[in-house]
Amino acid sequence: MRFVFKTTYDQDINLLKHEGYVRSYGILLVLALVAPLLLDEFYTGELTHIFAFAVCGLGLMIATGFTGLVSLGHAAFMGIGAYAHGYFLKLGVPWVFSVVLAVMLTASIGTLFAIPVLRMTGLYLAIATLAFAIICEEVFTGWKSVTRGTDGMFFEEIDLFGWIIEPGSLPFYYVLLILLVGTLLMTANLLRTPIGRAMIAIRDSEISAQSMGVNLARTKIIVFGISAAVTGLGGIMLAHKTTISAPDSYNILQSIALLLMIVVGGMGSIHGAVLGAAVVSVLPTIISIIKDWLPSLQDIHTLPTGVFGLVLIGFIILEPTGIYGMWRKFKLFVDVFPLYRRRTFKRQKAFLKTERMR
Amino acid sequence: MELLQLLISGIAQGCVYGLLALGFVLIYKATEQVNFAQGDIMMMGTFFAFAFITGTSKPVSWWSAPIAILAICVGAALFYLLHKRRLPAWRDTAASQPRLQQVTAGGAYWLNLLAIVALYAVAAIFAIRFLSGFGMSWWLALPLAAICGGVLGYTLDAVIVRRIIGQPQFAVVILTLALGFMMRAVAGAIWGADDKGFTTPYSGDVIRFGGGEGTNPVVIGVPSLVIIGGTAVMIIGLYLFFRFTKIGVAMQAASQNQLAAYYMGIPVKYVFSMIWAISAAVATVAGILLVPKLEVFSPEVGLLSITAFAAAVVGGFGSLPGAILGGLIIGIAEALSTRYLPDILIDIVGLDGSFANKIPQVIAYIIMLAVLIIRPQGLFAQIQRKKV
């Protein structure tokens, strides 16, 4: 059990609360840095996939996990980011500026979409984002002059001011790692700003947040813009990883996979987005391994969908706090070893929050 | 006269949307849960009907009937014994907290539940295997599939959805989405992912009238008319049910105020599960009526519910007539825009051909977004602001 003695006020708002954090995140970072040197190519590829997904998940986590704006259509922002990036590249914009421009474009589309839509709450917002995603998917398919329709848009290599980086190479891994770490730091810092505090206040209770002087509409719109931007960046990363961007990769199922990611990982935590991304990326591999063991399952093409559903149901019912919640419980169990009580993590509120009264 | 044909076809499609939307609204009004699995329940029900009508190729063993009956009896008895004390009485207010905690406490509970679910599954498989051994007539399969759909809906609520009371609303949304995935996977595993179809007494029939000298006759498919008629019958039936039967009135009471209904002695849990059953049965009938119009169906037919969702939202998501009306609006808009909108867009607006052809596919969502933006709570609002 660690006792942290607070000696400065900064300690309350520091990113790394005490030296334990420095140590564990330091080890994690070193591991991430040396991973491609130790692992073979396949696993490095899987890691880059996880990085890209984690950034998408973070984008959704900012809106859903931290602000409580449930979005069923975040894959649309992935698509907007990726297609805008590809289009700017085709126009001859340098890679870095193209990424920045695409992310800004995604942010502004997210903001513009948010202005009318965020007057709705809860369910209606989820439906509106769903509709937005469906419309976007059709636009991606139909607007052939920009998106090349169902043929898909190809992303070959990253041209970093003349330095050509092939997808799947060692530098490619580090580019994605840098983007992920940058996004993680950005999100962690965002939560310490007034906007971040307002976000969490809104999630916990809109009425009390409003009473404390939080400007609901403004905060929500900014949050949606940031969330769209981060998801767009994730879309760009994923497009580079998979080297192709087709409307299929931005359908409703993708949006739901994003949602699955943050639920499985753990709602309302940055760790959750990364852990969830790892699960969602690894799950298809696990399924194919299971299929190798049980050849009778080979014919069932719907197995991945079913397993995704099963995992999701299991987490929602048995462990709503996700993998990160499990980890926290385990950590407390070790910390206080013989004294752990299950009731510590009991949910405080166990009644239905009605949405008819707001 | 083409317009009349389009209108009838659109109204028929709209009726199906309306019936699905009715299911959404019934469940939402009562339990404030949004059932995103509605379309997949419809799909499952349609597959039940398909199984009943076409029959299985394998011979049915004689012992499956008694085993099915036995399994159902044992399952029901176990379910009753285990749930008598353990389940929460109702799902509102802090007063129910101690009982809710009782529900989630203890690992043995989950084991019991798993056993019950397994038993139910075995019973259901045996029952369906037995019933689908014959290949029965459409008239028998329709009510039977509706009952099976209803049982499916009841079980989903009683066994799974009821368990996440007290979690935020998105949990229900994700849970039902996941349930939909599961059902799609199960249907795909049992019946395969390719297109299926079954014949009905009126499949392919058409009514022609008018025509002669240079004008085409009006051709109206009987399936569309049957959908419209069936919808009307079901709406009247539901109205009578909610208005005059005891449980119907209890359902109205429970959806207005759960706590007050509970104090009046209404078994709120049971009533809610019955509402799930009703909306599942309605969805099943809608699905079965839709098959002769579409001619084929597959596990993906459940995605129709997203359009039905738009219908429910246009109707205000809390009003039963609104749901039907929303369905009709969406259905007619889809039919008319598919025929006329691409030409208008290409000729007048000057859009690309491939782009213009995509617009009618999303017209439902465009209408829905427009309604949501103009009236954020839908056309028939029922959300009020809490006064503190």
Side-chain angles (χ1 to χ4, degrees):
Chain A
M1 187 100 203
R2 181 194 301 275
F3 295 97
V4 180
F5 295 103
K6 289 186 177 157
T7 48
T8 62
Y9 290 115
D10 282 347
Q11 253 173 307
D12 283 330
I13 54 168
N14 276 348
L15 260 188
L16 303 168
K17 294 264 185 301
H18 50 75
E19 70 272 22
Y21 281 69
V22 182
R23 215 173 296 142
S24 45
Y25 289 117
I27 292 171
L28 193 65
L29 190 64
V30 170
L31 277 181
L33 283 173
V34 299
L37 307 175
L38 303 176
L39 298 170
D40 65 87
E41 212 167 300
F42 173 74
Y43 291 105
T44 316
E46 286 290 290
L47 277 178
T48 50
H49 203 245
I50 292 176
F51 293 167
F53 258 137
V55 173
C56 301
L58 266 178
L60 184 58
M61 187 69 90
I62 291 172
T64 304
F66 295 129
T67 324
L69 307 171
V70 181
S71 165
L72 293 177
H74 252 56
F77 295 119
M78 286 167 68
I80 293 170
Y83 279 123
H85 175 59
Y87 190 68
F88 290 138
L89 281 183
K90 210 161 66 182
L91 290 182
V93 181
W95 192 82
V96 175
F97 298 117
S98 167
V99 169
V100 172
L101 274 180
V103 167
M104 275 164 55
L105 184 77
T106 320
S108 40
I109 290 177
T111 316
L112 282 181
F113 172 69
I115 290 170
V117 158
L118 284 176
R119 290 193 298 160
M120 308 161 207
T121 47
L123 171 68
Y124 288 92
L125 177 68
I127 301 163
T129 50
L130 184 74
F132 175 70
I134 293 171
I135 294 170
C136 275
E137 195 196 334
E138 295 299 332
V139 171
F140 295 151
T141 322
W143 199 2
K144 292 211 166 98
S145 54
V146 173
T147 64
R148 295 168 47 82
T150 42
D151 297 341
M153 190 183 247
F154 291 96
F155 291 80
E156 268 124 26
E157 67 281 308
I158 299 175
D159 182 357
L160 212 59
F161 302 115
W163 183 26
I164 306 289
I165 301 173
E166 292 290 332
S169 62
L170 202 58
F172 182 76
Y173 174 88
Y174 289 114
V175 169
L176 258 57
L177 182 64
I178 289 169
L179 286 176
L180 172 68
V181 172
T183 320
L184 286 172
L185 283 177
M186 192 282 289
T187 316
N189 273 323
L190 177 73
L191 291 178
R192 302 193 298 165
T193 60
I195 284 281
R197 303 293 192 216
M199 279 158 59
I200 289 169
I202 289 177
R203 178 191 66 188
D204 291 342
S205 164
E206 279 196 9
I207 291 181
S208 61
Q210 206 173 13
S211 322
M212 302 306 281
V214 172
N215 185 339
L216 288 188
R218 184 172 148 268
T219 313
K220 282 183 181 177
I221 287 168
I222 292 175
V223 164
F224 219 76
I226 296 173
S227 160
V230 173
T231 315
L233 180 66
I236 294 171
M237 288 162 68
L238 198 65
H240 271 295
K241 165 71 185 84
T242 52
T243 67
I244 185 171
S245 165
D248 266 7
S249 10
Y250 311 113
N251 55 13
I252 315 168
L253 295 185
Q254 182 74 62
S255 302
I256 293 167
L258 286 181
L259 212 56
L260 182 150
M261 211 145 82
I262 61 173
V263 169
V264 170
M267 265 293 179
S269 65
I270 295 174
H271 304 75
V274 182
L275 290 172
V279 171
V280 170
S281 313
V282 170
L283 215 52
T285 320
I286 295 177
I287 290 171
S288 62
I289 292 172
I290 294 175
K291 271 190 173 172
D292 287 345
W293 283 347
L294 300 167
S296 59
L297 294 176
Q298 286 292 0
D299 301 336
I300 304 175
H301 301 293
T302 47
L303 193 66
T305 334
V307 173
F308 266 59
L310 201 62
V311 169
L312 201 48
I313 293 175
F315 267 100
I316 289 259
I317 293 185
L318 297 175
E319 188 57 272
T321 49
I323 297 175
Y324 184 59
M326 282 160 89
W327 165 246
R328 272 179 57 207
K329 285 175 189 171
F330 175 72
K331 213 165 96 175
L332 188 77
F333 179 80
V334 174
D335 268 356
V336 296
F337 169 56
L339 301 173
Y340 178 77
R341 299 284 311 264
R342 190 179 287 182
R343 287 285 166 93
T344 314
F345 285 97
K346 199 91 223 157
R347 273 206 318 278
Q348 296 287 306
K349 286 180 191 166
F351 53 89
L352 183 74
K353 267 200 227 165
T354 176
E355 292 228 334
R356 285 183 206 163
M357 303 289 256
R358 273 216 168 259
Chain B
M1 282 304 101
E2 192 190 15
L3 190 66
L4 186 66
Q5 266 166 250
L6 281 173
L7 270 181
I8 300 265
S9 169
I11 289 174
Q13 188 71 28
C15 282
V16 172
Y17 292 147
L19 287 177
L20 277 176
L22 200 68
F24 280 127
V25 171
L26 274 176
I27 293 177
Y28 180 72
K29 248 178 103 87
T31 62
E32 287 193 35
Q33 291 161 341
V34 188
N35 177 19
F36 274 86
Q38 190 76 11
D40 297 287
I41 293 176
M42 175 189 90
M43 180 270 295
M44 283 303 268
T46 317
F47 265 109
F48 290 152
F50 167 75
F52 294 152
I53 290 173
T54 52
T56 44
S57 50
K58 295 168 200 158
V60 185
S61 31
W62 61 270
W63 42 265
S64 56
I67 285 191
I69 292 166
L70 193 74
I72 290 172
C73 290
V74 173
L78 259 179
F79 196 73
Y80 176 72
L81 285 176
L82 287 164
H83 284 56
K84 210 167 57 174
R85 285 182 303 111
R86 282 182 178 274
L87 281 186
W90 74 95
R91 47 179 75 188
D92 202 2
T93 78
S96 65
Q97 269 188 40
R99 308 184 78 155
L100 276 168
Q101 280 172 0
Q102 202 182 21
V103 173
T104 43
Y109 178 74
W110 290 106
L111 254 159
N112 290 335
L113 201 72
L114 210 68
I116 297 171
V117 172
L119 240 152
Y120 259 111
V122 170
I125 289 168
F126 271 111
I128 289 170
R129 285 274 296 131
F130 178 71
L131 290 172
S132 60
F134 309 119
M136 54 184 74
S137 85
W138 184 82
W139 294 106
L140 202 57
L142 180 72
L144 210 57
I147 291 170
C148 286
V151 170
L152 178 71
Y154 188 97
T155 320
L156 280 183
D157 180 58
V159 177
I160 300 172
V161 181
R162 191 186 283 169
R163 237 127 290 270
I164 57 162
I165 302 162
Q167 287 188 33
Q169 195 166 38
F170 78 84
V172 185
V173 172
I174 297 167
L175 183 76
T176 48
L177 278 173
L179 282 175
F181 277 167
M182 293 279 297
M183 280 189 263
R184 218 171 298 158
V186 167
I190 299 177
W191 290 289
D194 45 335
D195 284 348
K196 298 277 187 308
F198 52 74
T199 49
T200 55
Y202 54 90
S203 277
D205 291 357
V206 287
I207 294 176
R208 293 166 196 277
F209 57 87
E213 310 101 53
T215 54
N216 293 323
V218 182
V219 182
I220 291 167
V222 175
S224 298
L225 296 178
V226 172
I227 292 177
I228 297 170
T231 308
V233 170
M234 265 194 286
I235 292 172
I236 293 167
L238 280 176
Y239 172 76
L240 295 176
F241 174 78
F242 280 116
R243 179 74 180 75
F244 292 111
T245 62
K246 204 168 177 183
I247 177 140
V249 176
M251 280 173 183
Q252 288 190 45
S255 65
Q256 277 180 13
N257 189 335
Q258 297 162 11
L259 194 58
Y262 181 73
Y263 288 156
M264 293 297 116
I266 292 171
V268 176
K269 273 187 311 173
Y270 164 74
V271 161
F272 282 171
S273 293
M274 278 311 281
I275 288 175
W276 271 74
I278 289 175
S279 67
V282 169
T284 302
V285 174
I288 295 172
L289 291 182
L290 183 64
V291 171
K293 187 172 188 299
L294 294 180
E295 285 168 4
V296 288
F297 70 103
S298 71
E300 298 300 311
V301 82
L303 295 177
L304 204 76
S305 69
I306 301 176
T307 319
F309 212 79
V313 172
V314 170
F317 227 108
S319 138
L320 298 180
I324 296 286
L325 200 68
L328 291 179
I329 292 174
I330 298 282
I332 293 171
E334 266 192 350
L336 293 185
S337 68
T338 311
R339 174 68 188 82
Y340 297 114
L341 198 61
D343 293 345
I344 296 174
L345 286 176
I346 292 169
D347 295 344
I348 299 172
V349 188
L351 270 183
D352 195 18
S354 63
F355 204 0
N357 285 327
K358 290 279 167 201
I359 302 286
Q361 293 179 18
V362 294
I363 194 81
Y365 311 106
I366 295 174
I367 293 175
M368 175 171 92
L369 267 185
V371 167
L372 279 177
I373 287 168
I374 297 162
R375 277 191 62 92
Q377 257 73 41
L379 291 176
F380 302 82
Q382 61 152 0
I383 296 181
Q384 313 150 7
R385 197 160 181 88
K386 186 166 156 187
K387 305 277 191 295
V388 232

